Amino acid sequence: MNGFFDIPSDLQHSWFGLIGLHLREALLPVLAGLVAALPLAQLCVRFRWLYPPVLSLTTVLYAVPSLAFFVVLIDYTGQSELTVMIPLAVYSLVVLVPAVVDGVRSVPPETLAAATAMGFGPVRRYVQVQLPIAVPAIIAGLRVATVSSISLVSVGMLIGNQGALGNLLHAATVYHRPELAVNSVVTTAALAVLADGALVLLRLLLTPWMPRGARRRTPRAARPDATAPAPKEAGR
Amino acid sequence: MFGAVIRMESVTKRYPDGTVAVDRLSLEIPDRSITVLVGPSGCGKTTTLRMINRMVEPSEGRILLDGVDIRRQPVNALRRSMGYVIQNAGLFPHRTVVDNIATVPRLLGWSRRRARARAAELMERVGLDASLGRRYPYQLSGGQQQRVGVARALAADPPVLLMDEPFSAVDPVVRKGLQDELLRIQDELGKTIVFVTHDIDEAVRLGTRVAVLRAGGRLAQCAPPAELLAAPADAFVEDFLGADRGIRRLSFLPSGGLPLQKSPVVTVDCTAEQIAARAAPGLPYLLVTDRDGRPLGWGEPEALLAGPPDPARLLPHGRPFEYGSDSLRAALDGAVLSPTGWAVAVDGTGRVLGVVSQQTIGEAVRSAHAGSRTAAGSWDRVAG
Ligand SMILES: Nc1ncnc2c1ncn2[C@@H]1O[C@H](COP(=O)(O)OP(=O)(O)O)[C@@H](O)[C@H]1O
Ligand SMILES: [Mg+2]
């Protein structure tokens, strides 16, 4: 396809430049969302009454169209990347908060009791016991948040070409070059798939302690005294 | 480090919803012993145990550790000085066996290397193969997980060990192994162990002293197991001990005093004269042993006179008891299971010392019980 990678100069970026920009605008908000979700979820686990209102709030915020966010934010942050990233970070909370809460709650009660009985304080217990065990659930949430964030970045083109790869869609109409639209869609999709794959890999690296696949059944069945219920498997 | 004395003084726990889980419980838990808290489900055993490491705070009363109120030291320091073992082990699923065991030493600031070395030492102590160290808990059987739980509780050599139904979720054979292991470890280490169970058999088997709780968290009786079985304080305790209390009591009576009969025992290669000379009154059989003196089975004298006995055609001798180290219960069991009604006594190497009838065992039980009425609880416990 002729001119597939020939990016119009008013976008001020090469194809690779656009990819870098796109990843930054998509991933930084997810990271920020995670940083906010971790303590928020811990509060929701500790004070059970807090969880339903927090959940409703994140859902309502998720329902606010990005355009509405842009209109409000543009007075403060202007036509910048930040204006795109703030709503994305807010959106990510709708998956990340429940993911962390579910993950933390999946810790077996006897494991928690054991940690307390061994003299773990609440913070140490959260960081060293609850969070690591919540990793599978958290990464499951991160996968959804990341993929949706990568596709949502494109709307940034509405506020002065802040949509990274999404800007190619606009350029495709302006310059009558449909191949740019194809480039935008295909590249965005490829990024989403790659990011998702990277997260799956990360989970495998972080959770060597999880039973998986065939290993899960065969050795257990072969044991005569495997009567104790297996520990709850988080997020599977 | 050896154990410490725990003293509960009129301790009451009222939960916020009004449930009185423990009611004015006073208990002296001596060091270097296993004190078992036993009682029906919901009677406040877990609550009592958790008040000792302050996972639950008493509403009234106080708990002293070696004479000092447990509230006088920081809560996490207190907990690190008390090992805690629970049902299903409660291992950290995300840590290897070695790192699970090394948890408290690490919390106490030991270097990783020293903590791991200590963990390896403890794996050996609780009977775990060193090769399991790098595994994760899901790769272990229930019994192995429980051993890791015990090793983890012992890692920082705490004077006190709190155990909440630790062996309830494993099958009976594995449970017996774990109980034996605990008794062996306790012989070596001499901790103050508080052990919670709802299983009276486990309580009687493990306890130096057994505290029976009734619903509402009130102490019904606290006594050494033999005394508990001999003289339950009231109908509740008697009922809780179960219908075969009398039989179970025999576990605490030694078999060493039984008069053995040596005459009705012959070796396979004995002569006709020997056979003819050895019949005992009331016993139409002779016990045949191999040349080393190990029991083969019972045979009728006439059949034995007819020629060398075929071991397959002898009557089974049942399970022999080890004279002196097994209890009267084992002896009676052997006699009841034997087709002749006579039990076979062997020495530590399995050689026959003699035989004893149900009737003789019954007489020994009667005289032991008569003696116990004057000196209840003075028996030393006997294995088996
Ligand atoms: N956190 C709690 N809040 C209210 N009631 C409780 C709580 N924990 C235990 N209880 C009640 O206290 C009683 C004793 O409980 P527990 O100590 O767990 O008994 P056990 O271990 O002997 O089965 C039970 O009636 C139980 O329902
Ligand atoms: Mg309990």
Side-chain angles (χ1 to χ4, degrees):
Chain A
M1 218 182 287
N2 195 19
F4 193 79
F5 294 111
D6 184 8
I7 311 296
S9 61
D10 61 336
L11 296 187
Q12 297 174 345
H13 284 287
S14 67
W15 184 65
F16 286 109
L18 284 178
I19 287 177
L21 186 64
H22 198 99
L23 284 178
R24 191 169 77 218
E25 285 188 41
L27 299 186
L28 280 182
V30 176
L31 204 62
L34 182 64
V35 167
L38 288 177
L40 200 59
Q42 175 60 359
L43 288 176
C44 290
V45 170
R46 254 199 118 115
F47 309 102
R48 290 181 149 263
W49 55 268
L50 199 62
Y51 190 38
V54 166
L55 215 51
S56 313
L57 183 70
T58 57
T59 310
V60 167
L61 287 172
Y62 189 67
V64 175
S66 43
L67 209 53
F69 269 111
F70 294 158
V71 169
V72 175
L73 286 174
I74 221 151
D75 287 342
Y76 303 95
T77 50
Q79 294 193 350
S80 68
E81 285 176 35
L82 206 55
T83 311
V84 184
M85 293 197 289
I86 289 172
L88 291 183
V90 171
Y91 292 156
S92 73
L93 292 179
V94 82
V95 261
L96 291 178
V97 171
V100 182
V101 169
D102 289 349
V104 169
R105 282 193 184 157
S106 75
V107 177
E110 57 267 23
T111 300
L112 268 192
T116 308
M118 281 188 287
F120 280 78
V123 174
R124 199 198 285 264
R125 200 179 71 165
Y126 186 58
V127 174
Q128 293 188 7
V129 179
Q130 291 173 296
L131 276 188
I133 296 175
V135 157
I138 295 174
I139 291 196
L142 277 178
R143 288 173 63 187
V144 177
T146 303
V147 168
S148 88
S149 190
I150 286 175
S151 89
L152 281 173
V153 163
S154 303
V155 297
M157 74 178 183
L158 295 175
I159 50 164
N161 276 352
Q162 293 299 346
L165 289 168
N167 300 342
L168 289 176
L169 294 173
H170 184 59
T173 16
V174 174
Y175 299 110
H176 301 289
R177 286 178 54 192
E179 74 273 14
L180 291 180
V182 174
N183 182 336
S184 167
V185 170
V186 170
T187 310
T188 308
L191 284 186
V193 169
L194 288 176
D196 193 51
L199 284 169
V200 171
L201 202 67
L202 181 68
R203 204 212 64 204
L204 289 175
L205 287 176
L206 288 181
T207 60
W209 49 271
M210 274 185 66
R212 27 184 152 255
R215 263 199 305 170
R216 188 160 86 211
R217 258 166 298 271
T218 35
R220 277 223 152 239
R223 276 183 232 129
D225 55 343
T227 46
K232 270 202 200 93
E233 293 162 22
R236 286 207 123 204
Chain B
M1 196 191 288
F2 289 120
V5 181
I6 302 168
R7 212 180 134 81
M8 308 188 79
E9 292 181 347
S10 192
V11 174
T12 295
K13 177 61 192 182
R14 210 173 293 106
Y15 282 109
D17 65 0
T19 312
V20 177
V22 177
D23 191 12
R24 283 162 296 162
L25 178 68
S26 293
L27 203 59
E28 174 103 19
I29 296 169
D31 60 354
R32 302 191 195 196
S33 66
I34 303 182
T35 299
V36 179
L37 303 177
V38 68
S41 178
C43 71
K45 306 180 294 290
T46 296
T47 303
T48 304
L49 198 70
R50 288 187 171 194
M51 284 194 286
I52 297 173
N53 70 357
R54 294 185 61 193
M55 288 170 79
V56 173
E57 294 288 352
S59 316
E60 282 157 35
R62 56 178 197 153
I63 300 173
L64 307 177
L65 181 68
D66 277 337
V68 183
D69 194 317
I70 55 170
R71 285 168 296 191
R72 296 273 295 273
Q73 64 169 311
V75 65
N76 284 336
L78 177 81
R79 288 175 184 162
R80 287 167 200 172
S81 74
M82 296 182 170
Y84 191 72
V85 189
I86 43 182
Q87 197 175 339
N88 296 330
L91 300 182
F92 298 135
H94 61 296
R95 293 191 177 172
T96 59
V97 166
V98 160
D99 287 337
N100 261 285
I101 298 173
T103 303
V104 179
R106 293 286 291 151
L107 286 175
L108 290 171
W110 295 23
S111 73
R112 185 178 294 269
R113 190 137 153 233
R114 184 169 162 226
R116 289 210 163 141
R118 172 77 179 149
E121 189 186 315
L122 278 157
M123 286 184 67
E124 196 181 322
R125 171 146 268 155
V126 301
L128 283 171
D129 199 89
S131 65
L132 298 177
R134 306 225 51 80
R135 291 212 191 162
Y136 288 99
Y138 83 93
Q139 295 164 314
L140 302 181
S141 71
Q144 289 170 333
Q145 289 190 14
Q146 212 48 259
R147 283 174 200 266
V148 177
V150 173
R152 184 174 65 173
L154 289 170
D157 202 11
V160 176
L161 209 55
L162 308 176
M163 309 183 83
D164 194 349
E165 310 218 3
F167 309 147
S168 301
V170 292
D171 66 63
V173 176
V174 175
R175 187 181 315 146
K176 172 128 193 328
L178 289 166
Q179 290 169 345
D180 288 341
E181 202 79 17
L182 180 67
L183 288 172
R184 192 183 55 70
I185 290 171
Q186 174 65 354
D187 272 352
E188 290 167 14
L189 301 182
K191 303 288 182 191
T192 302
I193 300 183
V194 190
F195 190 103
V196 162
T197 178
H198 59 257
D199 175 358
I200 185 68
D201 282 320
E202 187 169 60
V204 165
R205 198 163 132 64
L206 294 179
T208 320
R209 295 204 313 157
V210 177
V212 184
L213 299 180
R214 66 172 96 234
R218 276 168 303 138
L219 184 63
Q221 185 173 8
C222 181
E227 189 181 325
L228 195 74
L229 290 165
D234 58 19
F236 168 79
V237 178
E238 183 162 10
D239 201 40
F240 191 74
L241 290 171
D244 53 352
R245 163 170 77 87
I247 300 287
R248 262 200 255 123
R249 248 187 98 187
L250 300 183
S251 305
F252 297 91
L253 301 178
S255 60
L258 284 173
L260 299 182
Q261 292 226 34
K262 294 183 171 57
S263 65
V265 181
V266 293
T267 49
V268 252
D269 52 358
C270 67
T271 60
E273 295 84 71
Q274 282 173 315
I275 292 173
R278 283 181 177 242
L283 181 61
Y285 298 96
L286 293 176
L287 181 73
V288 182
T289 68
D290 64 14
R291 284 180 195 82
D292 289 333
R294 294 195 171 74
L296 294 172
W298 297 95
E300 291 174 354
E302 303 84 68
L304 293 176
L305 284 170
D310 170 11
R313 304 214 18 220
L314 296 170
L315 287 173
H317 56 73
R319 180 143 60 140
F321 68 96
E322 201 180 317
Y323 191 68
S325 66
D326 273 341
S327 66
L328 277 188
R329 185 178 180 169
L332 183 62
D333 194 57
V336 168
L337 291 179
S338 161
T340 61
W342 286 61
V344 178
V346 295
D347 64 11
T349 60
R351 291 193 175 83
V352 174
L353 294 171
V355 294
V356 57
S357 68
Q358 269 181 31
Q359 201 184 351
T360 309
I361 298 171
E363 277 156 20
V365 170
R366 268 192 298 282
S367 70
H369 283 192
S372 77
R373 246 165 254 136
T374 48
S378 62
W379 304 305
D380 286 337
R381 69 170 303 143
V382 184

